[in-house]
Amino acid sequence: MQTKIEFRKRQLEKLANNTLETNASGSKLAEKLFMTDIWQQAQTIGLTMAGKIEVPTEVISIQAKREGKKVFYPRTLPKRQMVFLPAETENDFEMSKFGVLEPKYDAKKVQTDIDLLIVPGIAYALDSKIRLGFGGGYYDRYLKNFPGNTVSLAAPAMAYPTAQWPVDEFDVPLQNVITLTD
């Protein structure tokens, strides 16, 4: 078995070569999400601004707002911590040191009550619902004490029957992984 670092490098290359497929699967995966009870019951959604190799999230944000749900976005903090904040317009975001858009920090606006967290990743083990992220550990630290529902949308290039990378004790399994084949 490859190390996480080796697998992550190969997986990022794979995703870079499959951006058309991943982007095309985004609306289909979102439609499947919208049909779930966890989506329909959620009033507050935690969601990232997807990068080029990730499943697009804009359609999810639009649908959430259309349904009167509140959307919150992650902001990374020192010591590999993360919080969720509201952001309504482009002016509410700024580029992080990781090259992704994050909401501007305002301690008074930190949201601690999120019903549904849509968790990003680059690979998902469908049997264990373990995800592999970009390697910072921010989400696993956050998920450790997260009481709400978790779901990820796995494009075909991201879905694996079982983990092809080492699973550590601090890797937090998701509650749900939506694929095009389920």
Side-chain angles (χ1 to χ4, degrees):
M1 182 177 282
Q2 304 171 61
T3 67
K4 273 189 177 179
I5 292 170
E6 292 167 339
F7 181 84
R8 186 176 287 113
K9 182 180 180 206
R10 286 189 182 86
Q11 182 66 8
L12 289 169
E13 290 169 3
K14 178 181 178 182
L15 294 177
N17 291 324
N18 283 280
T19 55
L20 291 176
E21 178 189 59
T22 298
N23 283 317
S25 67
S27 60
K28 295 174 191 161
L29 291 167
E31 287 301 322
K32 290 178 96 166
L33 170 66
F34 301 150
M35 302 298 286
T36 65
D37 288 342
I38 57 172
W39 173 266
Q40 293 172 12
Q41 294 167 6
Q43 293 303 307
T44 52
I45 311 290
L47 182 67
T48 61
M49 297 285 284
K52 292 176 186 167
I53 63 168
E54 296 176 281
V55 172
T57 56
E58 186 175 16
V59 66
I60 298 169
S61 174
I62 291 167
Q63 183 69 19
K65 291 171 186 171
R66 186 179 295 140
E67 293 182 22
K69 300 177 189 294
K70 293 184 175 138
V71 179
F72 299 91
Y73 300 91
R75 171 71 189 212
T76 55
L77 300 174
K79 299 182 183 172
R80 296 185 188 257
Q81 299 301 304
M82 184 172 70
V83 296
F84 282 80
L85 295 155
E88 298 295 325
T89 68
E90 286 182 29
N91 290 336
D92 294 334
F93 290 95
E94 60 189 5
M95 195 62 68
S96 75
K97 65 181 179 182
F98 302 112
V100 296
L101 289 174
E102 293 184 342
K104 294 176 182 172
Y105 185 74
D106 182 341
K108 294 181 289 242
K109 294 182 179 180
V110 170
Q111 176 69 19
T112 57
D113 184 24
I114 293 176
D115 299 325
L116 176 59
L117 187 58
I118 300 170
V119 184
I122 62 170
Y124 303 93
L126 301 180
D127 60 348
S128 61
K129 297 188 175 102
I130 292 290
R131 65 179 268 285
L132 182 70
F134 288 92
Y138 288 89
Y139 270 90
D140 284 316
R141 282 178 182 81
Y142 190 85
L143 291 172
K144 193 167 93 174
N145 299 309
F146 180 69
N149 290 306
T150 59
V151 65
S152 286
L153 307 180
M158 299 172 171
Y160 292 86
T162 190
Q164 305 296 304
W165 59 92
V167 176
D168 296 310
E169 70 275 359
F170 53 79
D171 290 333
V172 178
L174 301 160
Q175 294 166 332
N176 305 279
V177 177
I178 297 174
T179 68
L180 294 180
T181 57
D182 57 17

